[in-house]
Structure formats: C-alpha cells, structure tokens
Amino acid sequence: ELPVPTKEHYGFDGWYLGNERVNNETIFNENITLTAHWTKNRYTVTFNAGENGTASESSLSVDSGDTLNLPSASKEGYTFNGWFTESSGGSEVTNSTPILSSQTLYAHYTINTYTITYNSNGGSEVSPSNVTVTYGQTLTLPEPTKENYILAGWFTESENGTEVTNDTSITSSMILYAHYVSAIQNFAYTVVDTFVIYPNPTTGQFT
C-alpha cells in the first residue's frame, strides 16, 4: 500500500510515475521512483470591520503562501490603521504578508481629533482660544462678555449659522462665533401733559 505523505500548507495529490498517476492497484514489474505531487491549500480570510465599521470585502480566498490585496475599511469619526489578527493588539497583516491559514482579520482604528476655535466676535477674549476634542465629544463653551450686550450663544457663522451648545457632539473642526443680543431694552411710551384747573374767582365756575 502506498504511503500518504504530508507537507505543511499543502494537500497531497498522489504519487506519479512521470506524468502518470499511480495507485495501490498499479502493478510494478521493476524498481521505480515515484514522485509525490502536491497542491497548495486554499484558505479563506474573513474581514471584521468592527462595530459601526464597513469593509469593501467581507472575505477573500487565497492559495497558501500567497499574499492578498487587502480591502479598505472605514468607520465614521475614525481613521483606519490596518488589519490585525486580533480585535485588540495582535499582529498586523499587510499586502506583503503570506497567508498560511484561514483566519479572521480585524480592522483597527484611531478616533479622529478636531480643533475648535473660538471667535468672541467683538466680545472679550476667551482662554483658551481653541481646544482639541475627539469625535463625538461635547464642549464646555466659554462665556465672553460685551458691553451693553448679553451672550446669546455660539454659532458656526459670524451671522446666522447653526447654534452649537454644550450638548452638541463634535464631528469636525470648526470656528465658533459668539452671538449677542442688546442688553438695553427700548420701551414705547406716551407723554401726557398735566395741568391744574382753578375756579373763576368772580363766578366760582371752572373754566
């Protein structure tokens, strides 16, 4: 009976005499040399883009020892850092890494950071004049002052724009402008003349 050899990362494809495959039923009439034939194992690589992430490919197949053209991955508010063998830590797998087994690769990301610049728009200076925050973070907005005005809030434009509050999740770098309302209230009023009526000293009647 012919032996069944093994070879790492390959599947045994039989014994051959030249180009002819032989088996246990083959009759040999002389001493011969048989050559083992092999086929590369084929592996499946699955891509896990993580919670709220997306990958351009969910899985790819590759022959043992070959490399992959790795897919891209994206996640809102994050920068893609590459594919790794573990969801946290692990070894990075690149386009030049030979694939030697079926496996799941995990996308790693870095959360984006944004710069918020404050423009007091004619009011008192604020300190710091800019802050760095991460995606989704909220702000503790400063409170500049302006003579005869009250701070109405912070907005994305010097006039009009969208209001940004302490509850707003930050998703991009931006300049925020302070808006104000006048502290002097204008009231409408009517002046009424007053006068005193005296009686006629002769007749005693009021005229």
Side-chain angles (χ1 to χ4, degrees), residues 120-124 143-151 178-181 183:
S120 60
N121 214 7
S124 60
E143 298 183 359
T145 59
K146 185 177 181 180
E147 189 175 0
N148 297 327
Y149 287 85
I150 298 171
L151 179 67
H179 285 199
Y180 306 90
V181 293

Side-chain angles (χ1 to χ4, degrees), residues 57-159:
E57 297 284 352
S58 60
S59 65
L60 291 172
S61 295
V62 61
D63 288 337
S64 174
D66 288 352
T67 59
L68 281 174
N69 185 15
L70 294 167
S72 60
S74 61
K75 183 177 180 180
E76 185 177 4
Y78 291 76
T79 298
F80 175 57
N81 290 335
W83 293 102
F84 290 78
T85 55
E86 302 291 340
S87 58
S88 178
S91 300
E92 185 176 10
V93 174
T94 69
N95 288 333
S96 60
T97 303
I99 302 301
L100 300 175
S101 65
S102 291
Q103 58 193 293
T104 297
L105 298 181
Y106 300 86
H108 283 198
Y109 306 91
T110 300
I111 192 168
N112 292 341
T113 58
Y114 305 110
T115 299
I116 307 301
T117 301
Y118 297 113
N119 185 325
S120 60
N121 214 7
S124 60
E125 292 186 4
V126 297
S127 181
S129 60
N130 58 72
V131 294
T132 300
V133 296
T134 55
Y135 173 80
Q137 188 177 338
T138 57
L139 298 168
T140 300
L141 294 166
E143 298 183 359
T145 59
K146 185 177 181 180
E147 189 175 0
N148 297 327
Y149 287 85
I150 298 171
L151 179 67
W154 290 93
F155 292 76
T156 56
E157 303 290 342
S158 58
E159 294 183 7

